Amino acid sequence: MDYDRMAQEYLEEVGRLNRRLDQLREEARLRRESDLWQRVGQLMEIRDDLRVTAHVLQRRAARLP
């Protein structure tokens, strides 16, 4: 398995989620819709999970010859 590539893909997705979170936060400020804050919270959880998984993959890649 190519752990480095997989980790990079996860981190790229984290970057996309960060940009989307910024957009949703701005929308939530402008529109004051509570459901947007729920979506923000859910996306933050997903982003954090992806980030942790990417770091685990990086550590596995570092152990391989």
Side-chain angles (χ1 to χ4, degrees):
M1 296 188 97
D2 188 357
Y3 291 122
D4 281 327
R5 181 186 54 79
M6 291 170 59
Q8 184 59 37
E9 289 173 0
Y10 275 69
L11 292 173
E12 288 172 3
E13 186 62 28
V14 166
R16 284 190 286 275
L17 283 172
N18 279 334
R19 288 188 293 280
R20 182 65 182 140
L21 283 167
D22 290 341
Q23 291 172 343
L24 286 173
R25 285 185 189 112
E26 185 61 30
E27 286 179 36
R29 279 188 213 103
L30 295 175
R31 294 200 257 162
R32 305 269 185 221
E33 294 181 28
S34 62
D35 67 322
L36 285 175
W37 287 113
Q38 290 174 329
R39 290 175 57 197
V40 166
Q42 291 168 342
L43 282 176
M44 289 174 71
E45 288 179 27
I46 293 168
R47 178 205 56 197
D48 293 343
D49 290 345
L50 287 172
R51 187 179 291 147
V52 168
T53 303
H55 289 296
V56 168
L57 290 170
Q58 287 175 327
R59 288 197 335 233
R60 286 185 183 171
R63 286 189 290 184
L64 293 177

